[in-house]
Amino acid sequence: MQHTGIATLDQLINLLTRLPGIGRKTAQRLAMFVLKSDPDYAQQLAQAVLNVKSEIHFCKRCFNIAEDDLCSICADPKRDVSKICVVEDIVDIMAIEEAHVYHGLYHVLGGAISPLAGTMPEDLHIRELIERVKSEAVKEILMALNPSTEGEATMIYISRLLKDSGVTLTRLASGVPFGSHLEYLDSATIGRAIDSRREL
Amino acid sequence: MLVKTLKLQNFRNIAKAVIEFDEKINIITGKNGQGKTSVLESLYYLALTKSFREKADKVVLQHNKEFFNIEGTFLSDRKEELTLRLYFSDIEGKHLFFNKKKVNRFSEMIGRLPVILLSLEDLSLTYGVPQYRRRFLDILLSQVNPLYLQALQYYKRNIMQRNQILSLISEGTEKIDALFPWDVQLIQYGSEIIFNRLQFVRFMNDHLQDNYRQISEEDEKIEVRYKTFLKNADDQITIDSIQEQYESKLSATYRDDIKRQNTLIGPHRDDLLFFKDGFLLKSYGSQGENKTFLIALKFVESAYLKKKNNEIPIFLLDDIFGELDTERIRHLLSYLIREGQTFVTTTLKEKFNTLHLKEENFIKIKNGRMVH
Ligand SMILES: Nc1ncnc2c1ncn2[C@@H]1O[C@H](COP(=O)(O)OP(=O)(O)OP(=O)(O)O)[C@@H](O)[C@H]1O
Ligand SMILES: [Mg+2]
Ligand SMILES: [Zn+2]
């Protein structure tokens, strides 16, 4: 690793390198950009970084990002409180919201169980989900986890915990994406869709 | 599929060659180190964009040359004329052209030109460790059934995760209960894999016997068995019954699994056993018998692939005639003539002398040049 020899610049570069997807070279370019930019920009950037941490935090109820105690979805009286959609990550909420078809609440687990990555059930917000099922008026839990071995394991784990809770457990259908042409889909997707076909 | 012509430039020791092939049998003869295997290798390259004996493209590029080029013209079973060209240079990399159009994703082309290769290394299928036989099953079944490939990928990942849990349990940092979500999936995907393999074993048994007898012409009983932890594992078994047995077996073995920090049962431990007249071929069979069996097995592979893409594969047989007597070679060739197009390499042209082949069936190669 080369260093510029200027301690303050090196520190900035080192910190930038820790961001996901940023290598040493890119970090150097970014740091040089900040160095050459006008003082206003550096001020705004630094403040924006601080604000993100001080003013945004996680919703106490569902662990979505929130400006207050509750996120905008939990605070919205029009949402259907009888449904909770369980997702791995905050970005999954954004994706589902864009579809405008789901009007219930969410619960962000913060990942999926993966022993190899050192993530066990107690590292996720699973306990909080079980608490919500007990204390809220939930009728249905929709599992919207990623179609991976880890997502599947997490789903199986949660399903077992909620088996006797009386709520209905549902999961996303694995099938043919709407609007896609069959000929462009890979055969495994088509195969699974045929396996999980429904009566008309 | 039929290979009509092959044009080579700077491939291994072949500087330049244009070869026209017979529609049925092509016997490439010559002394050691003249370029026989290289001709087969180049056909394999067109089919699968890589070699069967070497990973790096650079190695097949002729010493001190900048590029190599392989160009073939083909006739599909539906009588379409096709061309395939593979070009490689150190600077420009590897490029594939199908009917003169550049192919962006090589994986799209795989299977277009179906080939079956049989070389001495395939003897590890009968003589080698179980892993070779599982690989044989997995590659073949994945080509035909994408759901099999998906189940296999999930299964492998699941085994890794489960083994990690087993280590954590044996260290005392996790409880036995943590296995549950992984066991559920292990049973699901594992059963799917075993079920498909058992169906294929049935297919093998339906075909192998005939194939073997066609070559040996003796009344021998050839049988394949799938070795697994299940009882009554045959093609009649249902997925449900596999899952049921799987579950009870797992709960009987998990303590050993924890002790060994490894999943001890499942399709990743299963094997194929080959029998002749009730005896294990690899332990009791002669070398010639093992080879005969392998050839019969390759014919099963071909029949199975044919079912998939309705295209008869071309056969590449590299140097496999060593221990076969002339009778067996005769039967093998007459079988091959009925099947499709075959390419054979040998140093022993004499072995083919009594087989009433024509001049067009022989291609002699000397120092990288075709000689007539
Ligand atoms: N990149 C290369 N450039 C030039 N020559 C090569 C290259 N790679 C291999 N060779 C040579 O090409 C020759 C032909 O090899 P090939 O394996 O095709 O021979 P063969 O006729 O099949 O011999 P055998 O009967 O021993 O199997 C060998 O002498 C080998 O050393
Ligand atoms: Mg050779
Ligand atoms: Zn919320």
Side-chain angles (χ1 to χ4, degrees):
Chain A
M1 286 294 118
Q2 316 133 282
H3 294 271
T4 61
I6 302 161
T8 48
L9 190 56
D10 279 338
Q11 192 198 8
L12 178 59
I13 292 171
N14 286 338
L15 288 169
L16 287 171
T17 324
R18 277 163 57 181
L19 292 171
I22 304 290
R24 188 101 204 148
K25 276 242 164 63
T26 312
Q28 280 167 354
R29 282 220 321 273
L30 294 175
M32 289 315 288
F33 179 86
V34 173
L35 184 65
K36 289 179 195 157
S37 66
D38 58 64
D40 254 11
Y41 175 77
Q43 185 70 43
Q44 280 171 22
L45 180 66
Q47 196 57 52
V49 171
L50 288 173
N51 289 350
V52 164
K53 283 310 271 186
S54 63
E55 281 167 36
I56 301 183
H57 44 259
F58 297 107
C59 173
K60 282 216 167 90
R61 193 176 179 192
C62 75
F63 301 97
N64 187 8
I65 40 171
E67 285 178 293
D68 299 308
D69 271 2
L70 290 183
C71 71
S72 58
I73 294 174
C74 285
D76 182 350
K78 291 198 291 293
R79 305 291 299 208
D80 177 357
V81 296
S82 72
K83 293 187 177 68
I84 295 179
C85 174
V86 180
V87 294
E88 288 180 25
D89 207 50
I90 290 160
V91 293
D92 301 329
I93 296 188
M94 298 174 187
I96 296 172
E97 283 298 290
E98 259 169 43
H100 299 292
V101 288
Y102 176 74
H103 307 293
L105 303 177
Y106 289 94
H107 190 88
V108 182
L109 294 174
I113 305 174
S114 171
L116 288 169
T119 312
M120 297 308 289
E122 56 276 16
D123 302 312
L124 304 170
H125 298 300
I126 293 179
R127 200 169 36 81
E128 292 90 340
L129 175 66
I130 308 302
E131 285 306 314
R132 284 182 71 183
V133 171
K134 282 185 192 149
S135 60
E136 295 178 21
V138 188
K139 292 209 187 79
E140 180 185 342
I141 302 274
L142 164 58
M143 307 264 206
L145 305 188
N146 290 322
S148 62
T149 318
E150 293 74 19
E152 199 73 27
T154 312
M155 234 179 297
I156 294 165
Y157 181 86
I158 294 173
S159 306
R160 190 164 69 149
L161 290 178
L162 292 176
K163 200 172 57 185
D164 302 318
S165 64
V167 295
T168 307
L169 297 172
T170 54
R171 60 176 299 170
L172 292 185
S174 64
V176 177
F178 194 74
S180 56
H181 283 271
L182 284 180
E183 61 176 321
Y184 296 129
L185 288 176
D186 66 284
S187 356
T189 307
I190 294 179
R192 291 270 172 233
I194 288 174
D195 275 356
S196 59
R197 66 189 179 279
R198 289 180 313 191
E199 208 171 309
L200 272 174
Chain B
M1 186 66 78
L2 257 181
V3 190
K4 304 196 75 166
T5 62
L6 179 67
K7 221 161 101 184
L8 296 175
Q9 265 173 294
N10 305 332
F11 190 84
R12 296 272 191 194
N13 69 332
I14 304 166
K16 209 163 192 175
V18 181
I19 319 171
E20 275 179 38
F21 293 114
D22 183 78
E23 295 194 354
K24 292 294 182 186
I25 302 282
N26 296 277
I27 297 163
I28 304 163
T29 67
K31 297 210 173 78
N32 290 135
Q34 302 305 307
K36 301 181 297 297
T37 301
S38 303
V39 174
L40 299 195
E41 191 179 29
S42 71
L43 284 170
Y44 191 93
Y45 236 104
L46 278 185
L48 295 160
T49 71
K50 55 182 195 243
S51 164
F52 52 82
R53 39 177 187 174
E54 178 55 51
K55 281 214 177 70
D57 299 308
K58 226 177 153 162
V59 174
V60 303
L61 171 63
Q62 191 160 90
H63 305 314
N64 308 317
K65 293 285 164 56
E66 310 213 314
F67 71 93
F68 72 77
N69 197 52
I70 314 168
E71 202 171 331
T73 59
F74 303 88
L75 191 65
S76 78
D77 295 352
R78 277 174 292 177
K79 307 291 172 218
E80 305 156 293
E81 304 248 355
L82 312 171
T83 66
L84 267 175
R85 180 163 87 89
L86 190 135
Y87 173 93
F88 170 85
S89 88
D90 234 355
I91 309 157
E92 293 154 284
K94 184 155 62 176
H95 300 278
L96 185 66
F97 302 86
F98 177 60
N99 289 340
K100 312 248 148 111
K101 261 176 64 190
K102 195 169 150 46
V103 177
N104 290 321
R105 275 172 53 198
F106 289 172
S107 61
E108 285 167 20
M109 285 311 298
I110 292 175
R112 270 291 189 145
L113 170 56
V115 294
I116 305 260
L117 168 77
L118 180 54
S119 69
L120 287 176
E121 274 141 63
D122 284 301
L123 283 170
S124 51
L125 250 175
T126 58
Y127 290 121
V129 293
Q131 201 185 337
Y132 287 111
R133 290 178 286 280
R134 288 194 295 266
R135 218 170 69 108
F136 166 76
L137 285 172
D138 290 343
I139 291 176
L140 192 57
L141 293 176
S142 297
Q143 279 181 64
V144 175
N145 181 0
L147 286 183
Y148 182 89
L149 176 63
Q150 203 181 48
L152 195 68
Q153 286 164 340
Y154 276 132
Y155 180 83
K156 285 185 175 159
R157 176 81 186 159
N158 203 64
I159 286 277
M160 283 164 65
Q161 294 281 22
R162 187 177 189 269
N163 289 348
Q164 179 69 15
I165 293 274
L166 292 171
S167 308
L168 295 174
I169 295 173
S170 91
E171 284 167 15
T173 39
E174 276 298 330
K175 291 204 222 67
I176 286 166
D177 210 33
L179 284 173
F180 178 75
W182 309 102
D183 286 357
V184 171
Q185 294 186 76
L186 205 65
I187 294 166
Q188 185 196 333
Y189 299 121
S191 300
E192 206 172 317
I193 294 167
I194 294 175
F195 180 79
N196 279 292
R197 288 182 181 174
L198 287 171
Q199 300 301 313
F200 178 65
V201 167
R202 160 79 190 268
F203 184 92
M204 282 204 272
N205 279 321
D206 286 348
H207 291 72
L208 260 176
Q209 181 81 52
D210 263 358
N211 292 345
Y212 190 91
R213 276 198 200 137
Q214 301 243 19
I215 307 163
S216 81
E217 290 236 310
E218 283 175 51
D219 199 21
E220 291 149 320
K221 188 168 162 22
I222 295 298
E223 197 199 342
V224 182
R225 274 181 235 155
Y226 186 66
K227 186 172 163 244
T228 177
F229 60 92
L230 300 167
K231 282 201 200 73
N232 306 322
D234 59 27
D235 60 296
Q236 299 300 317
I237 199 168
T238 61
I239 270 264
D240 288 342
S241 139
I242 296 176
Q243 288 181 346
E244 223 167 88
Q245 283 194 54
Y246 211 134
E247 195 172 346
S248 66
K249 190 77 184 174
L250 263 189
S251 52
T253 54
Y254 77 89
R255 280 188 205 86
D256 292 336
D257 284 1
I258 293 169
K259 220 177 288 162
R260 303 268 294 274
Q261 304 181 25
N262 204 343
T263 304
L264 300 174
I265 59 156
H268 66 298
R269 288 290 176 118
D270 292 349
D271 197 0
L272 280 178
L273 303 177
F274 305 133
F275 295 93
K276 195 200 93 184
D277 292 333
F279 290 99
L280 254 188
L281 253 171
K282 73 166 168 184
S283 319
Y284 294 95
S286 71
Q287 284 176 308
E289 285 169 341
N290 269 288
K291 267 194 190 170
T292 308
F293 174 81
L294 263 184
I295 294 164
L297 191 65
K298 290 284 162 173
F299 288 158
V300 175
E301 197 180 333
S302 141
Y304 202 67
L305 286 177
K306 199 159 68 188
K307 251 177 63 171
K308 185 205 173 194
N309 49 15
N310 291 316
E311 190 74 36
I312 300 170
I314 59 169
F315 274 88
L316 308 178
L317 309 181
D318 191 22
D319 243 346
I320 57 149
F321 292 101
E323 287 94 5
L324 293 183
D325 54 48
T326 317
E327 273 308 291
R328 285 195 183 205
I329 294 177
R330 184 209 306 281
H331 298 141
L332 173 58
L333 288 188
S334 62
Y335 187 97
L336 284 167
I337 283 172
R338 267 176 281 141
E339 272 295 297
Q341 192 184 25
T342 305
F343 301 81
V344 167
T345 68
T346 185
T347 50
L348 309 164
K349 192 182 173 196
E350 321 76 82
K351 282 209 162 195
F352 297 84
N353 278 350
T354 57
L355 298 177
H356 309 295
L357 291 163
K358 288 172 289 182
E359 202 50 46
E360 299 93 85
N361 294 116
F362 292 93
I363 296 160
K364 189 170 180 197
I365 184 164
K366 194 174 171 190
N367 209 354
R369 283 207 194 87
M370 311 302 135
V371 289
H372 295 282

